[in-house]
């Protein structure tokens, strides 16, 4: 039996047509915060519009608290966040709009496909830690991080609903047990005990989230919420089932003492060290089940929002056999989807086609730009190297140490026919430093070859990546050696006169046009290497 196509639940008769300029087109779910709609912004950007429940709106103090939290959350920006677009905390039914992320929640992936491999969990941990670092940098605490509040699209995990839980939990009129804000299974000990909550609380929730991704089980599961809270405060989950070194990371995040937990920045750096070159183009789409789930949602969204789209093909009517989604991504219960067979499945986007208008540049386009810049700098360096080999490279001047009288002056250049032939100084017993020239020219030429091969680190094949890494290491060693030699000659060019091998003379070298061009060639090579390596270190897949 074929799998039912993904479809958005249709709007109901009592649902509004628009809110604050956002045109509502479908329902996304309902949770502890309120009803969530799929909408289009005035500029056509897909958004998730969340309408706060009436019990919050009736609280006289809620609007003020909520407005402060929304104002703070609007300042948060990051590659792994779904940012706030707009909000009206003072409306009769307060609402807020965030960027819609067309992908599954991490809970959906695990529920459907089972525990994820340790490498994929580490990759996701990198992206989530990146998001938490951005949130905390804006002096905001998430307070409800969990797998259902993390959505995965082609550019990585996106954390949603950050910074707006505190106002809801403090609402004095909010007493509904069935829609309680917050998730005990992912609370920190200090949060469960009612103590002050800070950034370290989000790290504990990160540990519980990673535990779920790696095992398919909740770290502190129990029969009821009170038992869960007790386990969160008093028990330590069994991490022996998780392979090291991920085991050590999760255990550190789940430390009962907030001061002993790693910061998100430390978690991110740890993940980078473990992942190495895995943080490459398309890495996120390699996560189990991600590609198909993202394509389903993207295809349904495209068909729903396209001009003259037939709504029935992507929006399910409100009937018993239609999909029903509860919005865990707004702080409520675990989302459940009841699929319905569809005779006309929603279109699934062709992965070979370019992204739709309004989407971020793909990782492939970013890599193309990196390659083009790298190759351009290597070619410019090669041109400078050719000029260095054809023009006078350096001069050497000898003076008597006792009188300061100049006794010899030699201009040296690269000898294409006999590169290792010594250049005489004209002074008996005194040699030139001619070796610097062929070593510099030939070494730079070899360095440029290895610098070009360094681009193999961008390949998807592991063996090619290893060759690229080795080439980059060799190139870096050459640049370091040349820098040492070049600094000495540069110092002499600007006045340093060290003693010669013959103690009766001082020898001062000075760069000529060829020498300056060789410095330029190595500078361009170093910049190309550094730029590309910097991209490899900092890129989350699909971001630039």
């Amino acid at each position: 039996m074929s799998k039912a196509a993904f479809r958005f639940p249709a709007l109901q008769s009592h649902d509004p047509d628009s809110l604050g300029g956002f045109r509502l087109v479908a329902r996304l779910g309902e949770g502890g915060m309120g009803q969530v709609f799929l909408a289009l912004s005035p500029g056509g950007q897909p958004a998730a519009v969340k309408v706060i429940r009436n019990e919050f709106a009736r609280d006289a103090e809620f609007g003020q608290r909520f407005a402060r939290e929304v104002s703070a959350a609007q300042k948060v920006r990051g590659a792994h966040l779904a940012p706030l677009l707009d909000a009206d905390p003072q409306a009769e039914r307060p609402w807020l709009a965030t960027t819609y992320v067309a992908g599954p929640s991490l809970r959906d992936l695990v529920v459907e496909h089972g525990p994820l491999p340790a490498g994929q969990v580490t990759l996701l941990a990198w992206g989530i830690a990146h998001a938490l670092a951005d949130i905390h940098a804006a002096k905001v605490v998430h307070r409800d991080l969990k797998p259902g509040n993390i959505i995965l699209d082609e550019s990585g995990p996106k954390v949603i609903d950050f910074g707006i839980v505190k106002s809801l939990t403090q609402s004095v009129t909010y007493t509904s047990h069935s829609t309680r804000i917050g998730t005990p299974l992912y609370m920190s000990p200090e949060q469960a005990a009612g103590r002050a909550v800070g950034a370290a609380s989000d790290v504990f929730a990160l540990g519980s989230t990673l535990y779920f991704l790696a095992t398919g089980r909740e770290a502190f599961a129990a029969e009821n919420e009170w038992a869960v809270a007790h386990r969160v405060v008093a028990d330590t989950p069994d991490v022996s089932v998780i392979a090291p070194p991920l085991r050590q990371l999760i255990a550190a995040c789940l430390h009962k003492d907030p001061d002993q937990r790693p910061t998100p920045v430390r978690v991110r750096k740890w993940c980078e060290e473990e992942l190495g070159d895995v943080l490459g183009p398309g890495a996120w789409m390699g996560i189990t089940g991600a590609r198909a789930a993202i394509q389903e949602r993207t295809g349904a969204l495209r068909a729903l929002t396209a001009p003259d789209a037939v709504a029935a093909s992507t929006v399910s009517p409100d009937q018993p056999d239609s999909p029903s989604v509860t919005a865990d991504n707004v702080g409520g219960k675990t989302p459940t989807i009841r699929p319905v067979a569809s005779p006309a499945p929603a279109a699934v986007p062709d992965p070979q086609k370019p992204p739709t208008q309004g989407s971020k540049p793909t990782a492939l386009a970013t890599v193309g730009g990196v390659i083009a810049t790298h190759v351009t700098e290597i070619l410019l360096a090669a041109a400078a190297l050719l000029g260095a080999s054809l023009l006078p490279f350096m001069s050497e001047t000898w003076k008597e140490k006792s009188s300061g009288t100049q006794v010899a002056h030699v201009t040296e250049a690269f000898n294409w026919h006999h590169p290792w032939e010594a250049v005489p100084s004209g002074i008996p017993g005194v040699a030139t430093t001619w070796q610097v020239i062929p070593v510099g020219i030939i070494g730079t030429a070899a360095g440029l070859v290895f610098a070009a091969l360094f681009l193999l680190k961008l390949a998807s094949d592991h063996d090619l990546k290893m060759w690229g890494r080795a080439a980059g290491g060799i190139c870096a060693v050459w640049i370091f050696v040349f820098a040492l030699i070049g600094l000495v000659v540069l110092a002499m060019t600007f006045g340093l006169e060290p003693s010669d091998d013959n103690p009766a003379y001082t020898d001062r070298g000075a760069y000529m046009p060829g020498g300056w061009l060789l410095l330029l060639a190595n500078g361009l090579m170093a910049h190309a290497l550094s730029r590309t390596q910097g991209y490899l270190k900092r890129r989350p897949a699909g971001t630039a």
Side-chain angles (χ1 to χ4, degrees):
M1 182 177 178
S2 61
K3 181 180 177 181
F6 178 85
R7 303 167 73 186
F8 293 109
L11 294 173
Q12 298 181 6
S13 58
H14 59 274
D15 290 333
D17 295 326
S18 64
L19 285 169
F22 289 83
R23 180 170 64 88
L24 309 188
V25 294
R27 283 189 162 215
L28 289 177
E30 184 173 7
M33 184 186 301
Q35 182 66 52
V36 190
F37 298 96
L38 176 62
L40 296 179
S41 72
Q45 178 182 357
V49 175
K50 306 176 185 184
V51 182
I52 307 302
R53 292 180 179 275
N54 282 327
E55 50 262 46
F56 293 117
R58 289 194 296 266
D59 186 344
E61 297 180 0
F62 169 78
Q64 295 179 356
R65 289 197 305 269
F66 189 48
R68 288 195 297 268
E69 294 296 322
V70 166
S71 177
Q74 284 178 322
K75 299 175 183 177
V76 181
R77 289 291 184 270
H80 292 280
L81 298 168
L84 284 173
L85 300 177
D86 198 0
D88 188 355
Q90 305 300 334
E92 181 179 356
R93 291 286 302 277
W95 61 271
L96 58 90
T98 65
T99 297
Y100 173 68
V101 182
S105 73
L106 297 190
R107 175 170 288 280
D108 289 342
L109 284 182
V110 173
V111 168
E112 184 171 352
H113 300 282
L116 301 177
Q120 294 182 12
V121 176
T122 303
L123 179 64
L124 290 167
W126 183 89
I128 302 168
H130 198 294
L132 288 180
D134 290 332
I135 293 172
H136 297 165
K139 308 301 181 184
V140 174
V141 179
H142 192 292
R143 297 173 181 268
D144 195 26
L145 183 74
K146 55 188 176 183
N149 274 346
I150 306 166
I151 312 298
L152 181 64
D153 68 5
E154 60 188 3
S155 61
K158 303 294 188 297
V159 173
I160 64 175
D161 287 354
F162 47 85
I164 55 177
V165 174
K166 181 178 180 181
S167 294
L168 304 179
T169 59
Q170 290 180 346
S171 176
V172 296
T173 66
Y174 190 70
T175 57
S176 172
H177 174 77
S178 64
T179 55
R180 174 192 42 75
I181 293 294
T183 309
L185 286 168
Y186 295 90
M187 286 184 178
S188 64
E190 57 271 25
Q191 192 175 8
R195 301 195 301 269
V197 172
S201 180
D202 287 344
V203 176
F204 190 92
L206 171 62
S208 297
T209 296
L210 299 181
Y211 185 95
F212 174 77
L213 299 181
T215 66
R217 305 192 302 270
E218 312 288 1
F220 300 101
E223 293 182 356
N224 56 62
E225 294 182 2
W226 298 106
V228 169
H230 173 76
R231 289 203 62 199
V232 168
V233 173
D235 290 356
T236 300
D238 179 17
V239 296
S240 63
V241 297
I242 303 171
L246 180 61
R247 177 195 306 168
Q248 287 78 5
L249 174 64
I250 294 176
C253 292
L254 293 177
H255 201 289
K256 301 300 183 185
D257 184 353
D259 294 334
Q260 298 302 313
R261 297 171 202 154
T263 64
V265 173
R266 180 67 192 96
V267 173
R268 187 178 64 192
K269 290 182 179 179
W270 182 92
C271 293
E272 289 174 356
E273 293 171 359
E274 293 299 323
L275 292 169
D277 296 334
V278 174
L279 286 169
W284 307 110
M285 297 293 275
I287 292 175
T288 303
R291 182 179 296 275
I294 293 170
Q295 287 179 344
E296 287 174 350
R297 287 157 177 80
T298 304
L301 177 64
R302 180 181 298 172
L304 180 63
T305 58
D308 302 322
V310 180
S313 67
T314 54
V315 181
S316 63
D318 187 19
Q319 55 188 16
D321 61 346
S322 65
S324 176
V325 184
T326 59
D328 177 75
N329 63 357
V330 292
K333 298 180 180 179
T334 301
T336 57
I337 299 177
R338 296 191 294 274
V340 56
S342 172
V348 176
D350 186 349
Q352 301 299 322
K353 291 183 179 181
T356 58
Q357 183 178 3
S359 63
K360 293 183 178 180
T362 64
L364 183 61
T366 302
V367 171
V370 170
I371 293 174
T373 302
H374 189 98
V375 171
T376 298
E377 289 193 290
I378 294 302
L379 291 176
L380 290 174
L385 173 64
L386 179 62
S389 68
L390 297 173
L391 297 172
F393 188 89
M394 63 179 293
S395 65
E396 288 189 80
T397 302
W398 288 267
K399 296 180 180 179
E400 290 183 350
K401 185 177 293 186
S402 58
S403 64
T405 303
Q406 177 177 318
V407 294
H409 178 82
V410 176
T411 298
E412 304 167 32
F414 181 69
N415 188 335
W416 277 88
H417 300 291
H418 304 286
W420 301 106
E421 181 177 332
V423 178
S425 67
I427 305 175
V430 174
T432 63
T433 53
W434 62 272
Q435 301 95 332
V436 169
I437 301 175
V439 169
I441 296 293
I442 296 174
T444 300
L448 288 174
V449 173
F450 287 116
L453 292 175
F454 180 63
L455 287 174
L456 292 175
K457 284 196 71 176
L458 296 170
S460 57
D461 182 79
H462 180 267
D463 291 337
L464 291 177
K465 287 183 178 180
M466 295 305 295
W467 280 107
R469 177 179 293 179
I474 295 172
C475 185
V477 169
W478 162 250
I479 291 172
F480 176 76
V481 171
F482 178 83
L484 294 179
I485 298 173
L487 286 174
V488 172
V489 180
L490 191 63
M492 290 194 293
T493 301
F494 289 99
L496 179 66
E497 295 185 351
S499 297
D500 191 75
D501 294 337
N502 188 322
Y505 303 100
T506 60
D507 178 14
R508 177 185 174 184
Y511 280 124
M512 298 185 73
W516 292 112
L517 284 174
L518 192 67
L519 284 176
L520 175 61
N522 280 272
L524 288 168
M525 176 168 52
H527 186 265
L529 203 70
S530 175
R531 182 186 180 92
T532 303
Q533 178 63 21
Y535 168 80
L536 287 166
K537 283 185 175 181
R538 68 177 177 267
R539 62 174 179 182
T543 63

